C-alpha cells in the first residue's frame, strides 16, 4: 500500500510568462464559468429565499424592520441579507445578486480543482471540476442565486487551506466563521476544528479560537433578536415553515432521503464511481482522503439530526458534502496515475476507464437534463417576467396605493410583488393565511403557470364587488371599486 501524500518536494515557483499564466488562471476560470452560465441560461429572477433577502435588505435601507414573521417567510441568512445591503444602492440589484452567486459557482469549480490537485493529482482536480461544473442540480442552485453556492465555495476553500498546511489554525477558522453566517452547518465544523486544534494551543489562543468559532452563531442570534425579538427565530421559523408546507422532517426518513439527495446531486455515473474512488483512496491515499471525507461526514451528520429539532430534509443541505464526495469520482477515473508502473497501475487504469465510460454512456441523458434545466429557467423566467409587469402596471400600483395592501392567491409571489411594488413590510399577503384584502393577484391557467405550480394552481375566486383591473399572459388582478 502507498500513501505518499505531501512527500513530494515543493516545485520551484514559476517565473516570467508561466507566473503570469498561473496568476491569470484562477480569475479566468471563475469568470469563465460565470459568463458561460449567464450567456447560456440568462438568469435574473432569483429564488424565493434570495428575493426575500433582497427585500429585507431594502427594508433596512429605508428604515423598516424586515417582516421575518410574515406567513411563509423563509429562514433569514444574515450574510445573504448583508450582500443585499451592498447591492441595493446600485440599481439592478437582482442582476448583481445573480452575478455574485454565479462568480461564487466559478470559485467553487476552481477551488475543488485545487483541492483535488493538492490532495491527489491535478488530473483528479480537472475531472472533479468538470463534474461539479456540469451537475444540473448545482447549476440550478447557482442560476437561482441560492446561498448554498457561496457557502459551498467557502467550505471547500477552508478544506483547501487545511489541506495545504495541516493544523493551519486561524485562517481556516475565519473562513468557516464567514461560511457560518450563510448556513449553520459551518458552526458544527468550527466547533470540531477547535476541538481538533485544542491540545496544540496555548490557553490564550484557545480563547481566541473559541471566540472566533462563536462569532457566526452570535451574529445570527443577535440579528434574529433585533429584528424578530427572538434570538432563536431562525430555528423556530424554519421548523414552523416545514410544518406549514408539510416538508419531510422525520428521523425515519433520513436514510432514504440522504441517499436520494446525494444521487440527485451527483447523478448515476458518480453513484457508481465515487465508491470506486473511495476504495482506491483506502488502499493508496488514506491520509489524503481523510480530510474531505471527515468534512462530508460531519455535514451529513448535521443534516441527519436536523429532524430532531423539527428541521426539514432538503436536498440543498447536502450539496456541499456531495461536492466533496465528487473528488472520489476524480480519484476513480485518474487515481491510477499515482501508482508506479506495474500490475496494480494497469488494473486501476482499466477501472478508471470503466468509471469514465459510465459518464460517456450517461452523456445523452445528461444533455437532456441540462436542456430541461434550460427550458425550466426560460419558462419560469417568463412567468416571473409577467409577474414583474403586474408589479409595475400603473392600474395595479394605483389600486395597491389606494388600499395600502395586496393579496396574492398563494405565498410564492409575495416577496416579488412587494419588491416590485416598492411596498412596506406587511402590505402584501396571501389568501392562504387570511381573507382577501386590497387587489387580488391570481395566476391564469396557462402552460407556464401549470408547470410552475405542478398542475396545482391555487383556485381563488374574487370576493363580491371585485372586478378585473389588469391582465397579462400569466396573471390577472382583481380589485374592489374602493381600490
Amino acid at each position: 500500500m502507498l500513501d505518499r501524500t505531501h512527500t513530494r518536494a515543493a516545485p520551484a515557483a514559476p517565473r516570467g510568462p508561466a507566473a503570469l499564466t498561473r496568476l491569470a488562471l484562477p480569475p479566468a476560470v471563475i469568470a469563465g464559468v460565470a459568463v458561460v452560465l449567464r450567456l447560456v441560461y440568462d438568469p435574473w429572477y432569483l429564488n424565493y429565499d434570495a428575493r426575500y433577502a433582497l427585500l429585507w435588505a431594502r427594508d433596512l435601507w429605508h428604515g423598516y424592520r424586515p417582516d421575518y414573521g410574515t406567513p411563509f417567510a423563509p429562514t433569514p441568512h444574515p450574510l445573504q441579507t448583508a450582500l443585499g445591503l451592498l447591492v441595493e444602492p446600485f440599481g439592478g440589484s437582482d442582476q448583481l445578486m445573480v452575478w455574485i452567486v454565479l462568480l461564487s459557482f466559478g470559485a467553487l469549480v476552481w477551488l475543488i480543482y485545487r483541492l483535488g490537485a493538492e490532495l491527489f493529482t491535478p488530473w483528479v482536480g480537472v475531472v472533479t471540476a468538470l463534474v461539479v461544473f456540469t451537475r444540473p442540480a448545482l447549476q440550478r442552485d447557482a442560476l437561482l442565486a441560492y446561498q448554498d453556492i457561496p457557502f459551498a465555495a467557502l467550505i471547500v476553500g477552508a478544506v483547501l487551506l487545511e489541506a495545504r498546511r495541516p493544523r493551519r489554525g486561524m485562517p481556516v477558522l475565519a473562513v468557516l466563521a464567514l461560511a457560518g453566517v450563510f448556513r449553520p452547518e459551518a458552526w458544527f465544523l468550527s466547533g470540531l476544528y477547535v476541538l481538533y486544534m485544542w491540545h496544540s494551543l496555548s490557553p490564550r489562543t484557545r480563547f481566541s479560537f473559541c471566540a472566533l468559532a462563536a462569532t457566526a452563531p452570535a451574529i445570527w442570534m443577535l440579528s434574529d433578536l433585533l429584528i424578530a425579538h427572538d434570538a432563536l427565530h431562525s430555528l423556530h421559523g424554519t421548523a414552523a415553515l416545514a410544518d406549514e408546507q408539510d416538508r419531510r422532517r422525520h428521523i425515519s426518513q433520513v436514510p432514504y432521503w440522504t441517499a436520494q439527495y446525494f444521487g440527485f446531486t451527483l447523478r448515476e455515473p458518480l453513484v457508481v464511481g465515487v465508491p470506486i474512488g473511495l476504495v482506491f483512496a483506502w488502499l493508496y491515499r488514506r491520509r489524503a482522503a481523510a480530510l474531505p471525507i471527515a468534512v462530508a461526514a460531519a455535514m451529513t451528520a448535521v443534516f441527519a439530526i436536523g429532524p430532531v429539532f423539527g428541521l426539514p430534509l432538503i436536498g440543498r443541505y447536502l450539496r456541499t458534502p456531495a461536492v466533496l464526495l465528487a473528488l472520489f469520482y476524480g480519484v476513480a477515473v485518474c487515481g491510477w496515475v499515482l501508482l508506479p508502473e506495474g500490475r496494480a497501475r494497469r488494473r486501476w487504469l482499466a477501472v478508471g476507464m470503466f468509471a469514465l465510460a459510465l459518464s460517456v454512456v450517461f452523456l445523452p441523458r445528461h444533455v437532456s437534463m441540462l436542456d430541461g434545466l434550460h427550458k425550466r429557467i426560460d419558462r419560469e423566467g417568463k412567468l416571473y417576467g409577467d409577474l414583474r409587469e403586474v408589479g409595475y402596471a400603473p392600474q395595479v400600483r394605483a389600486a395597491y396605493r389606494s388600499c395600502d395592501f395586496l393579496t396574492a392567491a398563494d405565498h410564492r409571489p409575495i416577496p416579488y410583488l412587494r419588491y416590485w411594488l416598492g411596498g412596506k413590510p406587511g402590505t402584501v399577503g396571501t389568501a392562504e393565511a387570511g381573507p382577501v384584502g386590497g387587489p387580488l393577484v391570481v395566476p391564469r391557467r396557462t402552460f407556464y403557470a401549470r408547470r410552475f405550480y405542478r398542475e396545482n394552481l391555487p383556485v381563488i375566486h374574487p370576493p363580491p364587488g371585485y372586478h378585473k383591473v389588469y391582465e397579462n399572459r400569466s396573471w390577472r388582478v382583481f380589485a374592489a371599486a374602493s381600490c
Side-chain angles (χ1 to χ4, degrees):
M1 296 185 184
L2 301 175
D3 199 334
R4 299 176 182 173
T5 306
H6 301 305
T7 59
R8 299 186 303 270
R15 298 179 181 179
L20 291 176
T21 301
R22 185 172 181 176
L23 289 173
L25 189 57
V29 171
I30 292 168
V33 167
V35 169
V36 166
L37 292 186
R38 178 65 178 81
L39 293 176
V40 171
Y41 294 101
D42 191 27
W44 68 272
Y45 59 90
L46 305 183
N47 71 83
Y48 183 80
D49 292 23
R51 180 63 67 175
Y52 252 116
L54 211 55
L55 182 63
W56 288 333
R58 193 180 64 183
D59 289 340
L60 291 170
W61 266 109
H62 289 86
Y64 301 125
R65 185 162 63 92
D67 52 349
Y68 283 5
T70 196
F72 302 100
T75 304
H77 298 85
L79 189 51
Q80 190 178 32
T81 304
L83 289 175
L85 283 169
L86 290 176
V87 302
E88 179 61 27
F90 296 101
S93 50
D94 49 5
Q95 286 286 338
L96 291 173
M97 189 68 85
V98 166
W99 272 111
I100 288 172
V101 179
L102 291 181
L103 290 168
S104 298
F105 186 55
L108 175 62
V109 171
W110 172 256
L111 289 168
I112 200 66
Y113 158 72
R114 288 299 310 139
L115 183 59
E118 183 70 29
L119 292 177
F120 303 105
T121 168
W123 289 109
V124 170
V126 168
V127 171
T128 308
L130 287 172
V131 162
V132 170
F133 175 53
T134 56
R135 294 309 91 185
L138 295 174
Q139 287 193 6
R140 170 189 170 274
D141 290 353
L143 294 166
L144 299 184
Y146 277 103
Q147 74 277 358
D148 306 81
I149 294 297
F151 171 76
L154 288 169
I155 295 298
V156 173
V159 175
L160 178 59
L161 287 173
E162 181 65 18
R164 284 178 167 174
R165 189 194 303 169
R167 295 183 178 273
R168 191 164 194 156
M170 277 294 188
V172 174
L173 203 55
V175 175
L176 290 176
L178 187 61
V181 198
F182 265 128
R183 293 205 55 82
E185 292 95 322
W187 306 354
F188 185 57
L189 294 179
S190 295
L192 288 178
Y193 192 67
V194 170
L195 291 176
Y196 170 69
M197 296 288 294
W198 190 261
H199 292 294
S200 62
L201 303 176
S202 67
R204 177 178 294 182
T205 307
R206 288 174 182 173
F207 176 80
S208 300
F209 271 50
C210 290
L212 185 54
T215 300
I219 290 173
W220 203 304
M221 287 188 282
L222 181 61
S223 171
D224 280 358
L225 181 63
L226 293 175
I227 294 174
H229 304 307
D230 175 8
L232 298 178
H233 165 79
S234 292
L235 175 62
H236 299 153
T238 303
L241 184 62
D243 185 51
E244 289 173 348
Q245 298 189 333
D246 196 26
R247 287 175 169 167
R248 305 176 187 99
R249 57 194 189 102
H250 298 290
I251 198 72
S252 62
Q253 296 174 303
V254 168
Y256 176 80
W257 286 106
T258 299
Q260 284 289 313
Y261 289 147
F262 273 130
F264 178 78
T265 302
L266 297 174
R267 306 312 309 185
E268 290 81 343
L270 271 71
V271 169
V272 177
V274 165
I276 294 173
L278 289 170
V279 171
F280 179 94
W282 174 261
L283 293 174
Y284 301 108
R285 284 296 187 274
R286 202 173 302 172
R287 189 184 308 168
L291 178 59
I293 290 175
V295 175
M299 298 188 75
T300 304
V302 174
F303 171 83
I305 65 174
V308 174
F309 303 96
L311 301 179
L313 301 171
I314 295 176
R316 288 184 292 105
Y317 297 174
L318 288 177
R319 297 285 196 258
T320 304
V323 167
L324 291 169
L325 289 180
L327 280 167
F328 295 95
Y329 179 75
V331 172
V333 173
C334 299
W336 61 273
V337 304
L338 296 166
L339 302 178
E341 290 291 343
R343 182 180 300 175
R345 180 184 172 102
R346 291 191 296 272
R347 287 177 176 174
W348 280 102
L349 171 60
V351 171
M353 294 307 98
F354 168 74
L356 182 61
L358 294 173
S359 289
V360 174
V361 171
F362 191 73
L363 193 58
R365 170 62 177 155
H366 197 114
V367 170
S368 175
M369 293 169 64
L370 292 174
D371 181 60
L373 175 61
H374 187 280
K375 290 177 179 176
R376 174 180 176 175
I377 295 296
D378 180 66
R379 183 173 64 242
E380 294 186 2
K382 288 183 171 65
L383 184 72
Y384 281 112
D386 292 343
L387 187 63
R388 182 171 55 183
E389 290 181 6
V390 170
Y392 286 110
Q395 53 270 59
V396 176
R397 297 175 76 88
Y400 170 68
R401 286 194 300 268
S402 177
C403 286
D404 199 30
F405 195 78
L406 180 141
T407 303
D410 76 303
H411 65 277
R412 277 175 272 196
I414 289 178
Y416 304 89
L417 285 170
R418 187 159 83 78
Y419 188 85
W420 291 322
L421 286 165
K424 299 177 183 178
T427 60
V428 176
T430 170
E432 296 170 289
V436 173
L440 173 64
V441 180
V442 297
R444 298 183 62 188
R445 192 169 292 277
T446 63
F447 169 76
Y448 299 122
R450 290 199 310 271
R451 293 299 300 272
F452 177 75
Y453 285 100
R454 299 180 183 177
E455 307 296 336
N456 295 315
L457 270 76
V459 179
I460 303 295
H461 299 290
Y466 271 58
H467 62 282
K468 186 169 61 180
V469 297
Y470 179 80
E471 180 181 51
N472 64 25
R473 175 176 53 184
S474 303
W475 306 90
R476 288 191 178 100
V477 183
F478 301 88
S482 59
C483 289

